[in-house]
Amino acid sequence: MDVGKRIRDLRDNRGMEQRELAEKIGVSQSKMNKIETGFQKRIEPEILVDLSKTLDATVDYIVGNSHHPHLTEEESFEAFIKDPELIRWYKEMPKSGEENIRKLRKIWEAFKDD
């Protein structure tokens, strides 16, 4: 399946019009049509990321490198622990006082309960 068809199928499965998707990712409907019909072969990385977020599918799925539109739980965890921001925060944690760590735990508990 080509990239355009994957995007069109994902959009259709969400009951979204082409114009609506174009607006959500900040491109013209004309450009979105060119992407979906395969007329535009090269899609900018930023647009692929926006499509991925909007259509709730991985970039790998959209470009045809995966047969599964969503990450498995294990893949999601791997992506999470490799996040550079998380690594930076982890390295800075020992420099934080115990009070800050308690505050972070409270924040985590609040999010976890939602």
Side-chain angles (χ1 to χ4, degrees), residues 48-74:
L48 284 171
V49 169
D50 289 344
L51 284 166
S52 170
K53 290 176 183 174
T54 304
L55 297 172
D56 189 30
T58 64
V59 171
D60 277 342
Y61 177 78
I62 291 172
V63 299
N65 292 338
S66 170
H67 297 295
H68 307 287
H70 307 288
L71 293 177
T72 65
E73 193 171 319
E74 188 174 307

Side-chain angles (χ1 to χ4, degrees), residues 60 71 73-91:
D60 277 342
L71 293 177
E73 193 171 319
E74 188 174 307
E75 290 169 328
S76 292
F77 181 73
E78 283 293 318
F80 172 73
I81 63 172
K82 290 180 181 175
D83 183 319
E85 284 293 305
L86 181 66
I87 294 167
R88 182 181 62 82
W89 292 339
Y90 176 77
K91 287 178 180 177

Side-chain angles (χ1 to χ4, degrees), residues 2-114:
D2 71 343
V3 174
K5 176 144 178 44
R6 284 179 187 256
I7 293 168
R8 186 173 46 254
D9 287 350
L10 288 165
R11 177 179 57 76
D12 286 343
N13 288 340
R14 282 156 185 74
M16 194 182 297
E17 296 290 326
Q18 189 179 72
R19 174 190 44 75
E20 182 182 357
L21 177 58
E23 287 173 3
K24 286 184 181 226
I25 66 166
V27 299
S28 67
Q29 183 173 358
S30 171
K31 182 171 183 123
M32 191 72 250
N33 186 56
K34 289 176 183 175
I35 290 170
E36 286 189 4
T37 58
F39 188 75
Q40 180 172 328
K41 299 292 184 198
R42 186 190 177 293
I43 305 171
E44 294 87 343
E46 303 81 26
I47 291 176
L48 284 171
V49 169
D50 289 344
L51 284 166
S52 170
K53 290 176 183 174
T54 304
L55 297 172
D56 189 30
T58 64
V59 171
D60 277 342
Y61 177 78
I62 291 172
V63 299
N65 292 338
S66 170
H67 297 295
H68 307 287
H70 307 288
L71 293 177
T72 65
E73 193 171 319
E74 188 174 307
E75 290 169 328
S76 292
F77 181 73
E78 283 293 318
F80 172 73
I81 63 172
K82 290 180 181 175
D83 183 319
E85 284 293 305
L86 181 66
I87 294 167
R88 182 181 62 82
W89 292 339
Y90 176 77
K91 287 178 180 177
E92 291 176 2
M93 284 282 289
K95 297 174 190 167
S96 298
E98 187 61 34
E99 180 62 25
N100 288 338
I101 293 172
R102 273 195 297 279
K103 288 177 185 176
L104 285 172
R105 282 192 184 120
K106 283 183 181 182
I107 292 169
W108 169 247
E109 290 299 321
F111 278 112
K112 189 173 76 171
D113 292 340
D114 270 352

